[in-house]
Amino acid sequence: MSSNNRFSFVDPAKSPVFYGYVILVIGTIGIYFSIPGQTIGVSVFTDPVKDALGLSRNQFSNAYMIGTICSSLVIGRAGIWFDKYGARYVAFFAAITLAVALMLCSWSVQMSEFVKTMLNLDTWLIPFVIMAALFFVLRFSGQGVLTMASRNVIMIWFDKNRGKVNAISSVAISFGFSSSPLWVNALIEGYSWQVTWQILATALVIFSLLILQFYKNKPEEHGLLPDGEILEDEEESIKIPAAKQYTAKEARETRAFWMYGLILAFNSFFITGLTFHVVSVFASEGFSKDDAISIFLPASVVAVTISLIFNFLSDYLHLKLYLYLMILGGIMASVGFLFLSSSFGIPLLIGGFGVLGGFFAVLNAIVWPRFFGRTHLGAITGKVMSFLILASALAPPIFSLCFSTFGSYRLLGYLGLVFLLFLSIASIRANNPQ
């Protein structure tokens, strides 16, 4: 058995359909299984877990922030692992690590009490440190490694049809993520938060076995090419479609890497900060909690629509157009954020929110393999992922600091417009390096 297919009974070369479509399905499921390590998956546990540990909301949030920031500092290493060992093993160990972290989370109260007894101390710092450490592992393995490996393996198996398959994957993930708080909350109410984490851990262990069976690193390792072409001889197997395979260092020396990375980081910062403080943001402008929450459904519809249409078109259009449309979405959202109490504020915020989210789903998947090739995709996307995780970690405390200092969130809207103006000028020469 080939070392590329070790521990697996599945041979892509013998698949009745192009195996990339199997990768599309299993990779999308892999991203879905990262939910326990994503903000949307952790947030449902906030109230019962913090109460059980005796932590305040601020203490629990700060533990989450510290764990997330620490994750952003080391996620680049996982990208190097991806390039060296491939998607199969990296995703497998990420799923196992996430499962172990979830199991430990379910025992966090017992762990905290044990440490308190051993040290003869009764302080909030003990559960705080334990949760910060667990959040680091959750965020690193879930939001970071499993997501990156699953998304990248899909992109590696396609080239000309990359936009079309990303459209399918993005829509499925959007609906899956948006529905996850409902079924996770139902599990918590039915079985308790401890058992829910244990159920999720068990599911991840089972899925890790599916990863070993169905994840395949590259089509060339199995006598195939992206999009389903068949290799005719061994010499062709060493050919890679992209004109040049950029290293991570070479990619970072291009203007395109920074401009696309910064707009994606802006999206993570703005969306996370607004989502985390949405009730407070709307209350500061005289709106109710129901008004605040009501923006998410229409924004999701806009995001899914944008993602679906422009993913399909991305196989035919220049991505710089997408970059500027995403900047335009950020401007819309920032203006709506500034003039929230006016008649056009909420529609602009919803539209901008949706445009940002829709183009994020397109660019974060497609731009890196198209611009820099597939050979060092892990190292490149690992670096980008560190930007996104750091931005999402810093957003909630910065939003909170702005409000506590100035009594309003509006300063963030002005800063956002200044940043987007800079990006729009600096991106003029952010061309595809290929």
Side-chain angles (χ1 to χ4, degrees):
M1 179 180 293
S2 168
S3 61
N4 297 323
N5 216 36
R6 186 174 296 167
F7 310 120
S8 174
F9 299 104
V10 179
D11 186 353
K14 297 179 180 178
S15 174
V17 298
F18 173 51
Y19 195 78
Y21 295 110
V22 178
I23 291 290
L24 169 62
V25 174
I26 194 69
T28 300
I29 296 172
I31 299 173
Y32 189 67
F33 265 82
S34 75
I35 284 175
Q38 305 276 0
T39 300
I40 197 169
V42 175
S43 61
V44 188
F45 291 88
T46 297
D47 287 324
V49 176
K50 74 175 182 60
D51 292 342
L53 290 169
L55 293 173
S56 68
R57 186 174 298 275
N58 282 340
Q59 290 166 348
F60 192 82
S61 298
N62 286 336
Y64 185 68
M65 179 189 69
I66 291 172
T68 302
I69 290 176
C70 292
S71 169
S72 73
L73 299 177
V74 297
I75 190 63
R77 175 58 56 180
I80 296 173
W81 296 339
F82 180 91
D83 293 331
K84 184 175 181 179
Y85 301 108
R88 285 184 72 219
Y89 293 138
V90 170
F92 170 77
F93 285 109
I96 291 294
T97 302
L98 182 56
V100 171
L102 291 172
M103 195 64 71
L104 291 175
C105 282
S106 73
W107 299 329
S108 55
V109 173
Q110 292 90 328
M111 291 165 60
S112 176
E113 294 303 319
F114 175 77
V115 174
K116 286 180 179 179
T117 302
M118 289 290 292
L119 299 179
N120 195 26
L121 289 174
D122 187 11
T123 172
W124 62 270
L125 280 172
I126 292 174
F128 178 87
V129 171
I130 288 174
M131 289 311 301
L134 290 174
F135 281 143
F136 162 72
V137 182
L138 278 180
R139 301 291 275 166
F140 178 73
S141 59
Q143 184 198 26
V145 184
L146 185 56
T147 303
M148 178 194 67
S150 299
R151 181 184 290 117
N152 282 352
V153 76
I154 297 173
M155 296 300 101
I156 284 174
W157 276 78
F158 293 91
D159 184 20
K160 296 177 182 178
N161 296 317
R162 193 173 281 144
K164 298 181 181 66
V165 299
N166 191 52
I168 299 169
S169 178
S170 296
V171 170
I173 291 167
S174 294
F175 285 114
F177 271 54
S178 62
S179 65
S180 61
L182 300 176
W183 61 261
V184 172
N185 187 63
L187 285 174
I188 293 174
E189 291 182 351
Y191 298 99
S192 80
W193 60 267
Q194 296 98 327
V195 174
T196 299
W197 261 331
Q198 291 166 7
I199 291 172
L200 294 175
T202 303
L204 274 158
V205 171
I206 295 171
F207 180 69
S208 69
L209 301 178
L210 296 180
I211 289 175
L212 279 183
Q213 288 299 311
F214 294 102
Y215 272 49
K216 307 297 177 183
N217 299 329
K218 296 178 181 179
E220 290 89 348
E221 294 178 354
H222 305 279
L224 302 170
L225 281 175
D227 302 306
E229 297 180 35
I230 305 297
L231 289 171
E232 295 180 358
D233 54 54
E234 291 185 2
E235 290 185 1
E236 285 193 63
S237 67
I238 62 173
K239 294 181 181 179
I240 298 174
K244 178 179 178 180
Q245 303 299 306
Y246 282 73
T247 65
K249 182 177 183 296
E250 290 172 333
R252 291 197 299 270
E253 292 172 351
T254 66
R255 184 184 293 253
F257 175 86
W258 292 103
M259 294 304 103
Y260 284 87
L262 286 174
I263 190 60
L264 295 175
F266 174 83
N267 174 83
S268 292
F269 179 88
F270 186 83
I271 299 298
T272 302
L274 178 61
T275 302
F276 202 89
H277 295 286
V278 65
V279 175
S280 176
V281 168
F282 273 71
S284 69
E285 298 293 339
F287 293 98
S288 67
K289 179 180 179 180
D290 289 340
D291 292 327
I293 296 175
S294 67
I295 71 169
F296 291 107
L297 180 58
S300 297
V301 172
V302 173
V304 170
T305 304
I306 290 286
S307 173
L308 184 62
I309 294 173
F310 286 93
N311 260 309
F312 273 101
L313 294 177
S314 68
D315 293 328
Y316 312 102
L317 299 176
H318 291 292
L319 293 184
K320 185 188 277 191
L321 171 64
Y322 287 29
L323 172 61
Y324 274 98
L325 288 174
M326 189 171 181
I327 291 173
L328 177 62
I331 293 172
M332 290 171 56
S334 297
V335 172
F337 188 82
L338 279 173
F339 298 96
L340 197 60
S341 58
S342 66
S343 59
F344 61 86
I346 292 180
L348 264 183
L349 180 62
I350 291 173
F353 195 109
V355 171
L356 279 172
F359 279 109
F360 177 88
V362 181
L363 293 179
N364 192 37
I366 291 176
V367 68
W368 313 117
R370 181 181 296 186
F371 280 19
F372 306 114
R374 300 180 299 138
T375 301
H376 305 286
L377 185 59
I380 293 169
T381 56
K383 186 64 177 178
V384 174
M385 185 69 76
S386 70
F387 299 161
L388 307 188
I389 296 175
L390 182 60
S392 67
L394 293 177
I398 290 178
F399 268 67
S400 181
L401 178 64
C402 180
F403 184 70
S404 62
T405 303
F406 302 104
S408 169
Y409 293 97
R410 292 185 181 179
L411 176 63
L412 291 166
Y414 289 114
L415 293 176
L417 288 174
V418 171
F419 181 76
L420 291 166
L421 176 61
F422 157 75
L423 274 187
S424 63
I425 296 173
S427 296
I428 292 174
R429 298 176 60 187
N431 300 315
N432 183 345
Q434 296 290 351

